[in-house]
Amino acid sequence: FLFITTGEENLLAILKRRWWKYMILGIIDIEANYLVVKAYQYTTLTSVQLLDCFVIPVVILLSWFFLMVRYKAVHFIGIVVCILGMGCMAGADVLVGRQQGAGENKLIGDLLVLGGATLYGISNVCEEYIVRNLSRVEFLGMIGLFGSFFSGIQLAIMEHKELLKVPWDWQIGLLYVGFSACMFGLYSFMPVVIKKTSATAVNLSLLTADLYSLFCGLFLFHYKFSGLYLLSFFTILVGLVLYSSTSTYVAQDPRVYKQFRNPSGPVVDLPATGQLEPSVTYTSLGQETEEEPHVRVA
């Protein structure tokens, strides 16, 4: 149990103000992971790779409308180049016959990937807002608390029979430990990277993950290699360079996004007469504007 010291940003105060919002975010995040992993039982690896790119337009749209991020033409060019590189990698999979996971319900698998990618996009945009405006520690603590709770419930209800069928030995246990360590590292470092860049940049960078898995598969599973894999990798890198060459900007209205942080705060009455011009400033997403708020836990 965690016993909390005094302060406006202690755990009890955070739970009192925003517990239901973090509960919804935790459910969204675990379902995003669950749907994509489940999709491998029904569809092909190539389909998962291609359809998982749907997270990018989701993040762009949500960032534009809710985070007020403004992109330039070079950003869209870089995004298109990255997606073309991903398509090249999927084409290489087809040519070398790397089609693991094909099943009779391919449509179900494809829909699961699209659903998971959509939830990933929502989770990443919420994460970007929280780590920029609230606290990275707060995000990790709340997503870990609610995510662990609800994933445990889902495991007990939906996957307990499959879990009992696992032929446990030290090798399988080591694989689970390795997977858990990788996920721990991903969730620990992603908020840091998102705060310094953006959710869009992080998801573009993650397109190269499939190539790294290929390199591991060359040694572990003797995958066939194609020159298209290297072409796709460098194409994605070119797209990332184009995207990162120019900063994105945020149209920052000071009256926006107050409800999440302090929903019980005073309501500011706006003038009833006359046209109100919103105060809009533009700041680079890559700049640090304030120090990390501290969450004190004893």
Side-chain angles (χ1 to χ4, degrees):
F1 296 95
L2 298 177
F3 296 92
I4 311 304
T5 60
T6 58
E8 294 183 357
E9 295 302 323
N10 63 71
L11 182 58
L12 291 180
I14 293 171
L15 287 173
K16 183 178 180 180
R17 293 199 303 268
R18 299 187 280 268
W19 67 270
W20 65 272
K21 297 177 182 179
Y22 283 116
M23 180 185 70
I24 295 175
L25 180 58
I27 293 174
I28 289 174
D29 190 75
I30 63 173
E31 293 306 322
N33 286 282
Y34 180 80
L35 291 178
V36 173
V37 173
K38 195 71 174 178
Y40 282 97
Q41 296 183 3
Y42 300 102
T43 190
T44 63
L45 176 64
T46 302
S47 295
V48 173
Q49 289 178 344
L50 286 176
L51 296 177
D52 195 41
C53 294
F54 186 68
V55 68
I56 295 174
V58 172
V59 169
I60 292 173
L61 290 175
L62 293 178
S63 297
W64 181 280
F65 288 107
F66 294 101
L67 299 184
M68 302 173 69
V69 177
R70 297 298 177 257
Y71 301 95
K72 298 178 181 179
V74 66
H75 296 123
F76 292 107
I77 294 174
I79 291 169
V80 170
V81 172
C82 287
I83 294 178
L84 288 176
M86 192 66 243
C88 183
M89 186 177 298
D93 285 342
V94 175
L95 291 178
V96 300
R98 197 160 68 100
Q99 296 289 304
Q100 298 95 328
E104 297 179 356
N105 298 312
K106 190 173 184 296
L107 178 61
I108 295 178
D110 293 345
L111 293 176
L112 289 176
V113 177
L114 290 175
T118 302
L119 294 180
Y120 266 131
I122 297 173
S123 176
N124 290 162
V125 171
C126 291
E127 179 178 353
E128 180 176 348
Y129 171 76
I130 294 170
V131 300
R132 288 184 180 279
N133 297 278
L134 299 174
S135 167
R136 183 174 69 250
V137 176
E138 178 178 325
F139 170 78
L140 290 174
M142 293 297 102
I143 203 72
L145 176 64
F146 289 102
S148 300
F149 178 75
F150 287 105
S151 62
I153 293 177
Q154 181 166 323
L155 175 66
I157 295 175
M158 302 182 62
E159 301 293 337
H160 65 280
K161 293 182 179 179
E162 297 296 329
L163 190 63
L164 293 175
K165 295 179 182 178
V166 177
W168 292 101
D169 56 29
W170 70 270
Q171 292 179 329
I172 293 179
L174 190 61
L175 291 174
Y176 274 102
V177 170
F179 178 78
S180 299
C182 291
M183 295 302 293
F184 176 80
L186 175 66
Y187 274 84
S188 298
F189 290 112
M190 183 174 283
V192 178
V193 181
I194 284 181
K195 186 171 184 178
K196 292 184 178 295
T197 57
S198 67
T200 305
V202 169
N203 280 282
L204 290 174
S205 301
L206 287 176
L207 293 179
T208 60
D210 293 316
L211 189 70
Y212 300 137
S213 66
L214 166 69
F215 291 152
C216 294
L218 291 175
F219 298 99
L220 298 176
F221 306 110
H222 305 290
Y223 287 162
K224 295 181 179 179
F225 182 79
S226 171
L228 287 177
Y229 287 120
L230 292 179
L231 176 62
S232 66
F233 179 72
F234 287 110
T235 302
I236 293 174
L237 289 182
V238 170
L240 287 173
V241 170
L242 287 174
Y243 182 88
S244 303
S245 62
T246 304
S247 298
T248 55
Y249 291 87
V250 175
Q252 184 68 43
D253 188 331
R255 298 167 299 176
V256 178
Y257 300 131
K258 301 299 182 185
Q259 190 65 24
F260 189 96
R261 188 165 191 172
N262 188 16
S264 60
V267 178
V268 179
D269 295 327
L270 299 177
T273 59
Q275 185 176 3
L276 179 64
E277 293 293 336
S279 176
V280 180
T281 59
Y282 294 89
T283 57
S284 172
L285 264 178
Q287 296 176 354
E288 299 291 338
T289 57
E290 60 181 11
E291 293 182 358
E292 183 79 15
H294 297 287
V295 179
R296 296 192 295 170
V297 180

